[in-house]
Amino acid sequence: MEHLIRPVRADEWHKAREIRLAALQDPVAHLAFLDTYEAAVARPDEHWQERTAGAAEDGDNIRQFVAEAPDGAWDGTVTVLVEHRGATSLIGDVPTVQQTQVVGVYVRPAARGAGLADALFRAALEWSWSLEGEPVQRVRLHVHEENTRARAFYRKLGFVPTGAHMPVQEGHDGALELEYEVRRPVTR
């Protein structure tokens, strides 16, 4: 693999915006993202600047990783959010353990099958396990019940369904987001 897997830098908001917009145009975007291209493209530059700065390499509670090609193009991305034990999470539940949540997973179609998603997830998991303070006990994600390709990929990476689920946002006629997790490796 020729790509460099690394965290975004705060000044790279143009590239962060571009890959997000590309992700939202993917044929399964309606299953994979709780956002639309139309809403995202209308957001002002300040939104993208703040979003990228918040997920940059020097942040504490969120990290966006990218797969950067030798020519500087970004061919994939994943974001990881810290969810503190006892505090309300992004989705409104209250974790009983320190955990992180993976969101915004995307690899450009032309780059799929080259191991980029695996490498992005390795970076996300390594970052999660390396955080200082209370150790992260699990990494979770939510996947639309009809997104069979993503569900199979997450299982291949070692994520397992927890049995927890939540309804997808309005307009999805009772569809569910299923929770998957991977637990912190036991060290001896």
Side-chain angles (χ1 to χ4, degrees):
M1 182 177 68
E2 299 175 1
H3 287 75
L4 172 65
I5 306 300
R6 66 168 181 83
V8 298
R9 294 184 290 269
D11 64 346
E12 297 178 311
W13 67 271
H14 282 98
K15 283 185 169 182
R17 179 182 187 272
E18 187 281 325
I19 199 164
R20 178 65 175 184
L21 294 177
L24 292 171
Q25 291 178 305
D26 191 271
V28 296
H30 67 288
L31 297 179
F33 304 106
L34 301 177
D35 197 3
T36 66
Y37 175 83
E38 294 75 20
V41 76
R43 293 186 182 113
D45 290 349
E46 292 79 20
H47 167 83
W48 299 102
Q49 292 163 351
E50 290 173 13
R51 179 184 172 118
T52 306
E57 60 191 340
D58 57 356
D60 292 330
N61 290 313
I62 183 170
R63 185 68 41 94
Q64 181 179 3
F65 292 94
V66 295
E68 185 176 51
D71 66 0
W74 289 2
D75 286 334
T77 185
V78 66
T79 301
V80 190
L81 311 159
V82 175
E83 297 180 320
H84 297 284
R85 180 176 54 87
T88 303
S89 75
L90 175 71
I91 63 166
D93 62 354
V94 179
T96 59
V97 298
Q98 193 81 346
Q99 62 190 25
T100 59
Q101 180 159 192
V102 175
V103 297
V105 179
Y106 177 69
V107 174
R108 293 183 194 275
R112 292 179 186 160
L116 294 185
D118 294 54
L120 286 163
F121 265 84
R122 275 195 307 278
L125 290 171
E126 288 171 10
W127 181 76
S128 296
W129 306 143
S130 73
L131 290 171
E132 294 186 11
E134 184 176 350
V136 168
Q137 297 301 316
R138 74 181 191 134
V139 176
R140 73 174 177 170
L141 55 82
H142 291 87
V143 60
H144 194 287
E145 63 186 338
E146 294 176 17
N147 196 342
T148 55
R149 186 183 77 196
R151 290 172 55 198
F153 172 72
Y154 298 142
R155 279 194 162 114
K156 184 183 100 171
L157 290 177
F159 282 80
V160 296
T162 67
H165 60 273
M166 63 183 185
V168 178
Q169 287 181 329
E170 293 177 32
H172 287 268
D173 298 326
L176 297 176
E177 291 273 337
L178 309 176
E179 182 183 76
Y180 281 61
E181 73 174 5
V182 64
R183 290 281 175 168
R184 182 182 194 87
V186 177
T187 56
R188 297 174 201 242

